[in-house]
Amino acid sequence: MNHTQNNAWTLKPGKITLAELRAAWSGHAPVALAAEAYPVIEASAATVRAIVEKGAAAYGINTGFGLLAKTRIPDDKLEQLQRNLILSHSVGTGELMADHVVRLLMLMKIGSLARGFSGIRPVVIDTLIALYNAGIIPAIPAKGSVGASGDLAPLSHMTLAILGEGPVRVNGELMQAADALKAAGIAPVVLAAKEGLALINGTQASAALALHGLFMAERLLEAGMVTGSLSLDAAKGSDSPFDARVHEVRGQPGQIAAASIYRQLVANSAIRASHLVGDERVQDPYCLRCQPQVMGACMDLIANASRTLLIEANAVTDNPLIFSGDDVQIVSGGNFHAEPVAFAADTLALAIAEIGSISERRISLLIDATLSGGLPPFLVKDPGVNSGFMIAHVTAAALASENKSLAHPASVDTIPTSANQEDHVSMATFAARRLDDMAHNTAVIVGIELLAAAQGIDFHRPLQSSPQLEQVHAQLRQKVPFFDVDRLFAPDIEAAKQMVLKGELSAGCKNLFTPLHP
């Protein structure tokens, strides 16, 4: 990541990295636009000015929008046209997008506009950057986009902020944009021809929500592999299915990488060594034995989604596009259709659901004394008097089942809008938005598995698991004690869930997972 003297990182249009996006998702740092972007931006804006001066009709510049594209707008009403566009399209509803999602949205919109195909003036982009750097977060309702013709409603709510209209959040507190801009010394923008449409046409809301889902999925994948390894030892399972030769003859890259990680996570476990001889079991249940196959497939889906979303993060997705140069052309196309984002989000949903599904199966195994390698029923002393993990597993089962419904692909749905002009849409915004709910469900499931597996490890004392897994066990025990008798369980589950969401389970062995994060 490039840093300038004032500690801002330099955004290079078309070259934003996943590492930069992850950093923006994790926390706020000021940004500066690469200096070489400004001549290209100004050239595109000059092209729009020339078109207006020439007087020829051009969609989005001096015409109405959508089905009203044939309506010619007089020059003296072009500023009003752009302002009316933003006000009329600010129709979002529901809870506000989280600040870290809006930061991603703003960065991608800045980067897209700055590539110089949108006909927007530098002052508009600079104002967006000024809001970002001042921590002024537009209040954007999460619902109201079908993921085609751009994320019109969410991006209109973003644009309201630079006009000094509508609410924003500063340090988590809602206030009026006019007051926030005044306090920060930022002048509101008056939009010129084409600029309103350029700001609200695009896939940045869908892409930001999908990136949030991607980064959550990465943490869930890592946590699920760690807890799955703990469960393997807790159930006195075999690490033979992780043999590299097994996975090489199949050839699936995620599976090969996952098996390698599992081998390293369980290496040098004294619990494993204790049952190498005399264990009458021939094969473990699939939830233990097939972890590389399942989690490796999830890994491949997550990697594919990350490639698609990185391309989209750097894309120009508004309409029409301005191609300047000797042969100036204004081309109406359909880059605002968010089908790639919808597909990426749908595949992330599959991965998130499966990470939770196989984790729930391991919890079920650990509480079942007929399968758990000698552990007491429901992982508690004096079962009967104590219920132990009985109903914690029910919670995991409920959430795994809920995720199955949420994982239904959103992209197969479409509904015509704008009097059938926009007759096929992607539903990318919902496809991406539901990933947060799914991720939180899976984080609870994996958190419960962490508690159950650690409980199982404790029953095998004084034997030790691997050094890597003992470190995770110790981290948990700093926050949650051994479950010796029934007690209020919900706080323990919440503590374990937060460890999953914050990436704490893999923090001590990050080197194992680094290759997964381009």
Side-chain angles (χ1 to χ4, degrees), residues 178-331:
D179 297 330
L181 267 62
K182 184 177 180 181
I186 300 170
V189 166
V190 175
L191 297 175
K194 175 70 168 63
E195 291 180 338
L197 189 60
L199 283 158
I200 71 172
N201 226 322
T203 63
Q204 288 79 26
S206 299
L209 290 163
L211 282 167
H212 168 67
L214 169 69
F215 300 149
M216 295 277 275
E218 290 173 343
R219 290 186 176 179
L220 294 170
L221 180 77
E222 294 178 5
M225 294 177 78
V226 170
T227 57
S229 300
L230 267 174
S231 291
L232 183 81
D233 248 7
K236 289 189 173 180
S238 173
D239 60 355
S240 296
F242 304 156
D243 188 311
R245 294 168 295 181
V246 172
H247 308 285
E248 287 168 1
V249 298
R250 190 177 199 184
Q252 294 290 351
Q255 180 178 325
I256 292 169
S260 174
I261 292 170
Y262 281 113
R263 288 195 301 274
Q264 295 175 79
L265 284 171
V266 301
N268 302 314
S269 166
I271 296 175
R272 172 60 179 140
S274 73
H275 61 97
L276 281 170
V277 177
D279 193 333
E280 296 180 354
R281 294 173 297 175
V282 178
Q283 291 184 328
D284 293 324
Y286 291 0
C287 65
L288 297 179
R289 192 191 344 156
C290 297
Q291 290 187 75
Q293 287 80 2
V294 174
M295 299 299 272
C298 291
M299 190 182 297
D300 285 335
L301 284 184
I302 291 169
N304 288 336
S306 72
R307 284 190 285 272
T308 296
L309 294 176
L310 179 58
I311 291 170
E312 196 71 6
N314 285 288
V316 179
T317 55
D318 60 294
N319 178 67
L321 298 178
I322 311 294
F323 296 95
S324 303
D326 295 336
D327 181 22
V328 173
Q329 290 190 338
I330 303 170
V331 182

Side-chain angles (χ1 to χ4, degrees), residues 51-303:
I51 292 168
V52 172
E53 290 169 4
K54 187 177 179 181
Y59 174 71
I61 295 177
N62 51 20
T63 72
F65 308 107
L67 208 61
L68 300 176
K70 295 179 181 178
T71 303
R72 177 72 161 79
I73 308 299
D75 289 357
D76 62 353
K77 292 187 177 180
L78 293 182
E79 288 183 356
Q80 182 184 346
L81 171 70
Q82 299 301 312
R83 180 178 176 81
N84 287 352
L85 175 71
I86 304 307
L87 296 174
S88 67
H89 284 52
S90 295
V91 293
T93 188
E95 294 185 4
L96 299 181
M97 290 185 187
D99 286 3
H100 55 265
V101 174
V102 179
R103 285 200 301 268
L104 291 172
L105 180 156
M106 294 174 75
L107 282 178
M108 289 187 289
K109 178 52 76 173
I110 291 164
S112 177
L113 296 175
R115 288 197 49 193
F117 298 100
S118 301
I120 201 163
R121 293 169 297 157
V123 65
V124 180
I125 298 173
D126 286 342
T127 304
L128 261 181
I129 294 171
L131 261 68
Y132 184 93
N133 289 345
I136 299 172
I137 306 296
I140 303 177
K143 297 182 180 181
S145 175
V146 295
S149 193
D151 289 315
L152 297 171
L155 292 173
S156 292
H157 284 277
M158 177 205 74
T159 305
L160 282 176
I162 65 171
L163 304 183
E165 298 283 352
V168 296
R169 269 199 301 246
V170 179
N171 297 321
E173 298 294 325
L174 276 174
M175 61 188 303
Q176 288 301 304
D179 297 330
L181 267 62
K182 184 177 180 181
I186 300 170
V189 166
V190 175
L191 297 175
K194 175 70 168 63
E195 291 180 338
L197 189 60
L199 283 158
I200 71 172
N201 226 322
T203 63
Q204 288 79 26
S206 299
L209 290 163
L211 282 167
H212 168 67
L214 169 69
F215 300 149
M216 295 277 275
E218 290 173 343
R219 290 186 176 179
L220 294 170
L221 180 77
E222 294 178 5
M225 294 177 78
V226 170
T227 57
S229 300
L230 267 174
S231 291
L232 183 81
D233 248 7
K236 289 189 173 180
S238 173
D239 60 355
S240 296
F242 304 156
D243 188 311
R245 294 168 295 181
V246 172
H247 308 285
E248 287 168 1
V249 298
R250 190 177 199 184
Q252 294 290 351
Q255 180 178 325
I256 292 169
S260 174
I261 292 170
Y262 281 113
R263 288 195 301 274
Q264 295 175 79
L265 284 171
V266 301
N268 302 314
S269 166
I271 296 175
R272 172 60 179 140
S274 73
H275 61 97
L276 281 170
V277 177
D279 193 333
E280 296 180 354
R281 294 173 297 175
V282 178
Q283 291 184 328
D284 293 324
Y286 291 0
C287 65
L288 297 179
R289 192 191 344 156
C290 297
Q291 290 187 75
Q293 287 80 2
V294 174
M295 299 299 272
C298 291
M299 190 182 297
D300 285 335
L301 284 184
I302 291 169

Side-chain angles (χ1 to χ4, degrees), residues 1 12 16 18 35 38 40 56 63 107 148 258 282 416 451 453 498:
M1 185 178 289
K12 296 184 177 181
I16 303 172
L18 274 176
Y38 284 98
V40 182
T63 72
L107 282 178
V282 178
L451 295 169
Q498 291 303 319

Side-chain angles (χ1 to χ4, degrees), residues 39 164 175 179 188 197 213 229 366 387 393-394 416 448 462 495 516:
M175 61 188 303
D179 297 330
L197 189 60
S229 300
L366 291 173
S387 295
H393 169 250
V394 173
I448 292 172
L516 307 183

